[in-house]
Amino acid sequence: MYESKSISTRVQNSEPSSTVMIADKARLLREEGQKVFDFSAGRAFEPTPGYVIEAAIAAMRSGDTHQTMAKGTTVYRKACAAKLQRENNIIADPEKELVATMGAKQGLTISLLALINPGDEVIVEDPCFVSYKQTIQYLGGKAVPVPLRPENKFRWDKEELENHISPKTKAVILCSPHNPTGVVHSPEDLRELASLAVKYNLYVITDEVYERMTWGGRRHVNLATLPDMKSRTITLMSLTKSFSMGGWRIGFIYADEAIIKELEKLQQHLITSVNSFVQAGGAVAFGQEPLQEVKTYWTEWEKKVEYFTGALNDIDGLKCDMPEGSFYAWTDISALGISSETFATRLLMKENVAVIHGSSFGQTATDYIRITCVKSWEEIHEGLRRIHAFVQGL
Ligand code: GLU
C-alpha cells in the first residue's frame, strides 16, 4: 500500500507572509464595504507616474507582447546600466552583469537559489523583511539571525556579527535603508561588513529597494562599490517602492558575470522572462533622470514620515523616532504591556486600522509595530486619530 500523499513539510511548516496576508485582509474588508485604513504593506498612495504608464501602453500597442530574452530586453538592461552609472557611480555591462527580475523578491529567490546548497547558512538581520528567512528555508538553507538591538540604534555589532559566522556560512543578506527599522547603513558599517565578507569569503545580497528614501540629507552607499566587494555582492533593485510600481513586479539584479550567467539559467527555467511591456515601462523609469513628478513623491514622503512618526511619538505609550530612511514608522509599544500581535489584531478589529506586528520581522522585534507612512493625508490624519483612540482605550 502506498501512503497517502500530502503537501511538502517544507511548505506546510512555513508561515504566511505577514505583510501580504494583512494587506490582503484589509483589501477583503474594503471589498466587503468597510472603510479600512491600511498602513500594513509597504505600498505608497501615489499612482505610478504617467510617463511610465504611457510607455508600457505604447509598447503593448506596438506589439511588444511576447516573451523577451530571459535576462531581459537589451533596452531594459541598458536603461538599468544607465541608472547605475547616473545614480550609483557603477559601470555595469548590460550584457553580462544585469538580469531583469519580477521585483526584488523574485531577485532574492533566484539569488538564494544560485547560492544555497542544502544546509548552508545565511546570516540575516533580526529584525528583517519577512520573506528572507522563509525563502532561505524553502531552499534547504538555514537562516541565522543576528540581532539589531535598539540600544545599538538597530545597527549590527561587528563582533556579534562575526560570532555568528561559521564554516557553513555562505552569505549575508543586508537591507539598507532597512525594512523595517529605517536604518541607513553608513559607509563605516558597510566597510565593517565588507571586511568580514572578504575575511570569511562570503557573498552579500544587498536589498536596495529603499535607496531613494534616505532622509535628512543622508546618502545611500552601494556595497558593491567598496574595494573587493564587486565579485561577491548581489545587488537587488526595483521600481516597486520608489516609483510606486508595486503591481508591475519589476526590478533587476546587478552582479558579477559569473553569477549573472547562473541567474540567467534560472530565469529561463522559472519565468522565461519578465513581462515584455512591463520592461518597456521600466526602461523609461530607469533610463532617464526621474521626472519632477517622481521627485515630488520622494520629498512628500519625507514630510509624511516626519509627520507620522512625530505624531505617533506624541501618543502616550508609543515611542517612535524619525527613521534615517525608508517609509516605515518603527514604533515601540513596550510600555503598553501587550504583544505586537495582539496590538495589530485588536487595532484592526476595533478601529479598522491595519499595521504589521513586529514579531513577524524577528525575535528582537516583539515590542514593535511597523506602520507604512506614505498614504494620503486624509488617511494619515484619520489613521492617527484611530490609533490614538485605540491606545487610550487599552
Ligand atoms: N515589501 C513590502 C513590505 O515589506 C511589500 C509586501 C511584500 O512584498 O511582502 O511591506
Side-chain angles (χ1 to χ4, degrees), residues 17 19-20 40-43 105 129-131 179 210 241 249 328 356 361 370 372:
S17 153
T19 51
V20 177
S40 60
R43 300 170 186 169
K105 239 168 161 173
F129 173 51
V130 297
S131 295
N179 175 13
Y210 300 94
K241 312 288 177 192
R249 314 311 300 130
Y328 301 116
I356 308 289
F361 296 96
R370 194 196 75 175
T372 299

Short mmCIF file of all heavy atoms in Angstrom, two decimals, residues 17 19-20 40-43 105 129-131 179 210 241 249 328 356 361 370 372, ligand 1:
data_model
loop_
_atom_site.label_atom_id
_atom_site.label_comp_id
_atom_site.label_asym_id
_atom_site.label_seq_id
_atom_site.Cartn_x
_atom_site.Cartn_y
_atom_site.Cartn_z
N SER A 17 3.25 35.17 4.78
CA SER A 17 3.91 36.48 4.85
C SER A 17 2.97 37.45 5.57
O SER A 17 1.85 37.70 5.10
CB SER A 17 4.19 36.99 3.43
OG SER A 17 4.25 38.39 3.43
N THR A 19 3.15 40.64 5.87
CA THR A 19 2.89 41.88 5.13
C THR A 19 1.81 41.68 4.07
O THR A 19 0.87 42.47 3.95
CB THR A 19 4.18 42.40 4.47
OG1 THR A 19 4.78 41.33 3.72
CG2 THR A 19 5.16 42.93 5.47
N VAL A 20 1.95 40.59 3.33
CA VAL A 20 0.99 40.35 2.25
C VAL A 20 -0.35 39.89 2.83
O VAL A 20 -1.42 40.34 2.40
CB VAL A 20 1.55 39.31 1.26
CG1 VAL A 20 0.52 38.99 0.18
CG2 VAL A 20 2.83 39.83 0.61
N SER A 40 -0.38 48.69 6.33
CA SER A 40 0.34 47.42 6.51
C SER A 40 1.50 47.28 5.51
O SER A 40 2.64 47.65 5.84
CB SER A 40 -0.64 46.26 6.43
OG SER A 40 -1.30 46.23 5.17
N ALA A 41 1.27 46.76 4.34
CA ALA A 41 2.37 46.52 3.39
C ALA A 41 2.98 47.85 2.93
O ALA A 41 2.32 48.89 2.96
CB ALA A 41 1.87 45.73 2.20
N GLY A 42 4.21 47.78 2.48
CA GLY A 42 4.92 48.97 2.03
C GLY A 42 4.48 49.41 0.65
O GLY A 42 5.21 49.24 -0.33
N ARG A 43 3.28 49.95 0.60
CA ARG A 43 2.74 50.40 -0.69
C ARG A 43 2.33 51.86 -0.56
O ARG A 43 1.51 52.20 0.30
CB ARG A 43 1.51 49.56 -1.06
CG ARG A 43 1.87 48.08 -1.19
CD ARG A 43 0.65 47.19 -1.33
NE ARG A 43 1.07 45.79 -1.29
CZ ARG A 43 0.24 44.76 -1.16
NH1 ARG A 43 -1.07 44.96 -1.08
NH2 ARG A 43 0.70 43.52 -1.14
N LYS A 105 11.81 40.67 -4.78
CA LYS A 105 11.53 39.39 -4.12
C LYS A 105 11.92 38.22 -5.02
O LYS A 105 12.52 37.25 -4.56
CB LYS A 105 10.03 39.31 -3.84
CG LYS A 105 9.66 39.14 -2.39
CD LYS A 105 8.16 39.36 -2.26
CE LYS A 105 7.62 38.80 -0.99
NZ LYS A 105 6.21 39.16 -0.78
N PHE A 129 13.14 41.85 6.73
CA PHE A 129 11.95 41.67 5.88
C PHE A 129 11.46 40.22 5.99
O PHE A 129 12.26 39.29 5.95
CB PHE A 129 12.29 42.05 4.43
CG PHE A 129 11.19 41.74 3.45
CD1 PHE A 129 9.90 42.18 3.67
CD2 PHE A 129 11.45 41.01 2.30
CE1 PHE A 129 8.88 41.89 2.77
CE2 PHE A 129 10.44 40.72 1.39
CZ PHE A 129 9.15 41.16 1.63
N VAL A 130 10.16 40.06 6.09
CA VAL A 130 9.56 38.78 6.47
C VAL A 130 9.88 37.61 5.53
O VAL A 130 9.82 36.46 5.94
CB VAL A 130 8.02 38.90 6.61
CG1 VAL A 130 7.67 39.89 7.72
CG2 VAL A 130 7.37 39.36 5.30
N SER A 131 10.20 37.90 4.28
CA SER A 131 10.38 36.79 3.33
C SER A 131 11.82 36.25 3.26
O SER A 131 12.05 35.23 2.61
CB SER A 131 9.92 37.21 1.93
OG SER A 131 8.54 37.46 1.96
N ASN A 179 14.38 47.79 6.05
CA ASN A 179 12.99 47.42 6.34
C ASN A 179 13.05 46.36 7.43
O ASN A 179 13.67 45.33 7.22
CB ASN A 179 12.34 46.83 5.08
CG ASN A 179 10.95 46.30 5.31
OD1 ASN A 179 10.34 46.56 6.34
ND2 ASN A 179 10.43 45.54 4.35
N TYR A 210 14.92 50.53 -1.11
CA TYR A 210 14.55 51.82 -0.50
C TYR A 210 15.63 52.88 -0.72
O TYR A 210 15.66 53.89 -0.02
CB TYR A 210 14.30 51.64 1.01
CG TYR A 210 13.19 50.66 1.30
CD1 TYR A 210 13.47 49.31 1.55
CD2 TYR A 210 11.85 51.06 1.30
CE1 TYR A 210 12.45 48.40 1.80
CE2 TYR A 210 10.83 50.16 1.54
CZ TYR A 210 11.14 48.83 1.78
OH TYR A 210 10.12 47.92 2.02
N LYS A 241 8.96 50.40 -4.86
CA LYS A 241 8.76 51.43 -3.84
C LYS A 241 8.95 52.82 -4.42
O LYS A 241 8.09 53.67 -4.31
CB LYS A 241 9.74 51.23 -2.68
CG LYS A 241 9.84 49.82 -2.16
CD LYS A 241 8.62 49.39 -1.38
CE LYS A 241 8.75 47.94 -0.95
NZ LYS A 241 7.53 47.38 -0.45
N ARG A 249 5.67 44.50 -10.69
CA ARG A 249 6.67 43.49 -10.39
C ARG A 249 7.87 43.62 -11.34
O ARG A 249 8.03 42.82 -12.27
CB ARG A 249 6.09 42.04 -10.44
CG ARG A 249 4.79 41.81 -9.74
CD ARG A 249 4.72 42.36 -8.32
NE ARG A 249 5.70 41.82 -7.43
CZ ARG A 249 6.50 42.57 -6.65
NH1 ARG A 249 6.42 43.90 -6.67
NH2 ARG A 249 7.35 42.02 -5.85
N TYR A 328 8.78 53.65 6.74
CA TYR A 328 8.08 52.99 7.84
C TYR A 328 8.28 53.72 9.17
O TYR A 328 9.35 54.26 9.43
CB TYR A 328 8.60 51.55 7.99
CG TYR A 328 8.42 50.74 6.73
CD1 TYR A 328 9.53 50.25 6.03
CD2 TYR A 328 7.15 50.48 6.23
CE1 TYR A 328 9.36 49.52 4.86
CE2 TYR A 328 6.97 49.75 5.06
CZ TYR A 328 8.08 49.27 4.38
OH TYR A 328 7.91 48.55 3.22
N ILE A 356 1.55 46.18 10.82
CA ILE A 356 2.23 44.86 10.88
C ILE A 356 2.87 44.67 12.25
O ILE A 356 3.60 45.55 12.72
CB ILE A 356 3.32 44.73 9.78
CG1 ILE A 356 2.77 45.07 8.38
CG2 ILE A 356 3.93 43.33 9.81
CD1 ILE A 356 1.83 44.08 7.79
N PHE A 361 8.86 40.12 12.01
CA PHE A 361 10.15 40.51 11.41
C PHE A 361 11.33 39.90 12.16
O PHE A 361 12.45 39.95 11.68
CB PHE A 361 10.31 42.04 11.42
CG PHE A 361 9.30 42.76 10.57
CD1 PHE A 361 8.15 43.28 11.13
CD2 PHE A 361 9.49 42.91 9.21
CE1 PHE A 361 7.20 43.95 10.36
CE2 PHE A 361 8.56 43.57 8.42
CZ PHE A 361 7.41 44.09 9.00
N ARG A 370 5.09 47.95 12.84
CA ARG A 370 5.54 48.71 11.67
C ARG A 370 4.34 49.33 10.97
O ARG A 370 3.35 48.67 10.70
CB ARG A 370 6.28 47.79 10.68
CG ARG A 370 7.05 48.58 9.63
CD ARG A 370 7.45 47.72 8.46
NE ARG A 370 6.33 47.44 7.59
CZ ARG A 370 6.41 46.78 6.42
NH1 ARG A 370 7.59 46.32 6.02
NH2 ARG A 370 5.35 46.57 5.67
N THR A 372 3.25 51.79 7.68
CA THR A 372 3.66 52.43 6.42
C THR A 372 3.08 53.84 6.40
O THR A 372 1.85 54.01 6.48
CB THR A 372 3.15 51.62 5.21
OG1 THR A 372 3.72 50.32 5.28
CG2 THR A 372 3.54 52.28 3.89
N1 GLU B 1 7.98 44.58 0.76
C1 GLU B 1 6.81 45.24 1.22
C2 GLU B 1 6.68 45.24 2.72
O1 GLU B 1 7.62 44.97 3.44
C3 GLU B 1 5.57 44.77 0.48
C4 GLU B 1 4.94 43.50 0.93
C5 GLU B 1 5.67 42.28 0.46
O2 GLU B 1 6.01 42.16 -0.71
O3 GLU B 1 5.90 41.44 1.32
O4 GLU B 1 5.64 45.57 3.21
#
